[in-house]
Amino acid sequence: MAPWLQVLLLLGLLPAAAPASSKPRAAGAQAWELASPELREPVRFALEMYNRGRAAGTRAALEAVRGRVRRAGRGSLYSLKATLVEPPCNDPTVCQLPVSKKTLLCSFEVLDELGKHMLLRRDCGPVDTKSTDDKNETFSSFLPLLNKDPLPQDFSVKMASIFKDFVTTYNRTYDSKEEASWRMSVFANNMVRAQKIQALDRGTAQYGVTKFSDLTEEEFRTIYLNPLLKDAPGRNMRLAQPITTVPPPQWDWRNKGAVTDVKDQGMCGSCWAFSVTGNVEGQWFLKRGTLLSLSEQELLDCDKTDKACLGGLPSNAYSAIRNLGGLETEDDYSYRGRLQTCSFSAEKAKVYINDSVELSKNEQKLAAWLAKNGPISVAINAFGMQSLAHRPRCAARSATPFWAIKNSWGTDWGEEGYYYLHRGSGACGVNIMASSAVID
Ligand SMILES: *[C@@H]1O[C@H](CO)[C@@H](O)[C@H](O)[C@H]1NC(C)=O
Ligand SMILES: *[C@@H]1O[C@H](CO)[C@@H](O)[C@H](O)[C@H]1NC(C)=O
Ligand SMILES: *[C@@H]1O[C@H](CO)[C@@H](O)[C@H](O)[C@H]1NC(C)=O
């Protein structure tokens, strides 16, 4: 199963789309120099950048480091492999949930130009699962200084101007000049990466500037994707009654009043809660005739099996809704995007559910179920979604079938907040975790 998933809402069948594809990255072994005094400054700098913004007591410490250096012109590029130790944390004012001591393996690339440092790459993962293979493809083309084929003279000027537009469009503010220049280098790298993903994508999806373009891949994963889905199977649900009818060629619950506006989960890994409320909103509408926008915050605060902003699973959330006694509305229990004390009140609950079901992995059956019963909660492999700018509204949609998917990243992501994915090929694992609440 794909390790990083986003949970969202399947709500329509449309007759055409672009299949998304992903290829494993190339990996290769390389010889590394032993640590030397020359590494002291770049290592100190990388660690400082890693710990930037962290409160005392939560900063990672360096355990071991190896590195190598390449020189060109006035600059030196240090590639570092470091073992970092993250301290345990039990203080709820500092870390949202208790975390135990963690050892990470990180790859850093630090550019030193006449004593001025810049972090060009940061990629960390748990020491036991992290591959130590070098993955330098992402950043090499961003460095005119070190590149064998020099980039056009105006590359950085152009990039600066695109970045400036980005900052205006998405109203970004940075705490310091260093932060701004770091974000700009992240942005430039993401642009290069987007071009590479574009080349891998067989379809018409367009990758480029999005509101996440100043986040590193790792930050994006941590904040927006769903870590709990990685290994937790969650509660078992009974299988839904199979549907034997053939799905209609086209179906869109948005045209039938079953779908609320696109919401925004903010800097919180709560996609699971949005996916579930979206499904329950649709179920309630179809069974009771009223479309109500329902509370994700209630699930963040009161569903103790899931982990609020650190991820969760729809199967657990349905269970929590039943045990709590229903869902309040968005107005009564508004979204804050962080864990708070549970303040659910049964009297305010406007909606209940009686059960939940797991749906077929066969997309034809899934489509038939959707058209008959309403929007479905699904999880998809979120590869490339950080860079997905928009898909052109092209006529080619009539050629291949696709799913219409509602995400919870605001309307300034994707196509007005929606995503269209090829239907019938298991694209992005869309069929692996489909479920729905049941209202009797
Ligand atoms: C990293 O970059 C070097 C120099 O461009 C190249 O020779 C090497 O194959 C690259 N390694 C990987 C894993 O892509
Ligand atoms: C832009 O950001 C600032 C500071 O975060 C905020 O006060 C302001 O309301 C934002 N403006 C818009 C249009 O979002
Ligand atoms: C469904 O749940 C509601 C609220 O808990 C309950 O009142 C109702 O009787 C249940 N329906 C069935 C058929 O069990």
Side-chain angles (χ1 to χ4, degrees):
M1 192 198 282
W4 295 99
L5 300 164
Q6 167 74 350
V7 186
L8 12 70
L9 188 68
L10 212 56
L11 40 78
L13 326 169
L14 295 135
S21 74
S22 63
K23 250 191 234 169
R25 287 211 216 165
Q30 282 187 322
W32 289 77
E33 289 173 11
L34 290 174
S36 74
E38 208 198 331
L39 293 181
R40 204 168 290 146
E41 252 328 275
V43 168
R44 185 200 58 74
F45 178 76
L47 193 63
E48 187 186 305
M49 293 310 272
Y50 183 87
N51 284 323
R52 206 165 27 99
R54 293 190 181 205
T58 68
R59 295 189 191 118
L62 181 73
E63 196 175 73
V65 67
R66 288 180 304 155
R68 69 195 153 95
V69 57
R70 276 182 281 160
R71 284 174 232 283
R74 298 176 303 158
S76 306
L77 178 69
Y78 294 90
S79 302
L80 308 172
K81 282 181 180 171
T83 315
L84 302 186
V85 180
E86 297 253 25
C89 179
N90 281 309
D91 180 351
T93 60
V94 179
C95 48
Q96 206 169 44
L97 291 163
V99 288
S100 47
K101 183 178 137 171
K102 205 166 52 168
T103 305
L104 298 172
L105 195 60
C106 297
S107 299
F108 296 109
E109 294 215 341
V110 176
L111 177 67
D112 174 348
E113 234 183 323
L114 303 176
K116 213 170 145 257
H117 292 97
M118 198 163 151
L119 187 59
L120 298 176
R121 172 172 167 220
R122 186 187 110 163
D123 188 7
C124 296
V127 82
D128 48 352
T129 59
K130 184 75 184 168
S131 144
T132 53
D133 289 337
D134 197 26
K135 295 184 288 178
N136 60 4
E137 44 156 355
T138 319
F139 290 82
S140 49
S141 54
F142 167 53
L143 284 173
L145 180 70
L146 301 156
N147 208 307
K148 284 193 283 300
D149 314 313
L151 287 161
Q153 274 295 309
D154 59 351
F155 176 81
S156 53
V157 176
K158 229 184 228 159
M159 205 44 93
S161 135
I162 303 172
F163 182 64
K164 221 175 127 200
D165 289 348
F166 164 84
V167 167
T168 317
T169 307
Y170 296 105
N171 191 24
R172 284 291 200 277
T173 50
Y174 301 113
D175 293 343
S176 62
K177 249 181 111 176
E178 289 72 38
E179 170 85 16
S181 90
W182 158 241
R183 289 296 157 198
M184 159 130 176
S185 76
V186 170
F187 180 88
N189 286 321
N190 281 336
M191 292 302 100
V192 173
R193 201 171 125 240
Q195 277 177 16
K196 295 194 171 164
I197 299 175
Q198 184 80 67
L200 289 175
D201 193 309
R202 285 173 291 145
T204 54
Q206 295 219 326
Y207 297 89
V209 180
T210 72
K211 67 172 173 179
F212 306 119
S213 293
D214 63 344
L215 299 178
T216 64
E217 213 177 332
E218 185 199 348
E219 286 171 321
F220 177 75
R221 274 201 315 244
T222 313
I223 300 168
Y224 289 99
L225 305 183
N226 201 352
L228 195 65
L229 287 174
K230 197 164 54 171
D231 29 45
R235 194 179 60 89
N236 280 334
M237 291 185 285
R238 70 177 170 89
L239 282 175
Q241 286 280 340
I243 304 265
T244 49
T245 53
V246 174
Q250 185 160 349
W251 195 267
D252 193 337
W253 283 115
R254 288 172 297 184
N255 303 335
K256 301 172 202 306
V259 184
T260 59
D261 291 344
V262 170
K263 304 183 190 185
D264 193 342
Q265 69 192 68
M267 300 276 264
C268 167
S270 53
C271 60
W272 58 276
F274 285 85
S275 180
V276 164
T277 55
N279 165 261
V280 177
E281 286 162 2
Q283 289 302 307
W284 191 259
F285 172 78
L286 289 163
K287 292 286 166 51
R288 298 288 181 271
T290 324
L291 183 66
L292 294 170
S293 183
L294 300 173
S295 172
E296 294 77 29
Q297 191 63 43
E298 176 187 326
L299 291 173
L300 261 62
D301 299 343
C302 312
D303 170 357
K304 302 298 182 198
T305 316
D306 287 316
K307 300 216 181 309
C309 290
L310 300 179
L313 288 167
S315 56
N316 298 331
Y318 297 126
S319 194
I321 296 171
R322 276 211 309 172
N323 295 338
L324 287 162
L327 278 174
E328 293 188 31
T329 63
E330 200 76 71
D331 286 344
D332 287 340
Y333 201 145
S334 307
Y335 190 65
R336 299 275 176 261
R338 57 176 192 280
L339 181 65
Q340 298 175 317
T341 317
C342 175
S343 61
F344 172 74
S345 119
E347 296 86 72
K348 282 207 202 141
K350 295 285 191 309
V351 161
Y352 58 80
I353 68 171
N354 295 83
D355 199 359
S356 59
V357 284
E358 185 185 324
L359 303 178
S360 172
K361 291 183 176 46
N362 175 317
E363 282 175 89
Q364 181 82 352
K365 291 185 178 158
L366 213 49
W369 197 96
L370 179 141
K372 181 161 186 279
N373 294 312
I376 293 170
S377 164
V378 293
I380 71 168
N381 171 1
F383 172 85
M385 278 166 80
Q386 181 182 11
S387 301
L388 185 80
H390 65 277
R391 215 186 65 91
R393 292 171 189 286
C394 53
R397 269 191 194 179
S398 59
T400 10
F402 61 93
W403 296 109
I405 301 176
K406 181 186 181 185
N407 202 350
S408 46
W409 292 346
T411 51
D412 55 356
W413 177 88
E415 282 184 55
E416 308 285 319
Y418 294 93
Y419 185 60
Y420 300 92
L421 191 67
H422 182 247
R423 177 156 55 88
S425 59
C428 298
V430 67
N431 55 335
I432 53 168
M433 205 191 272
S435 66
S436 175
V438 175
I439 296 166
D440 293 323

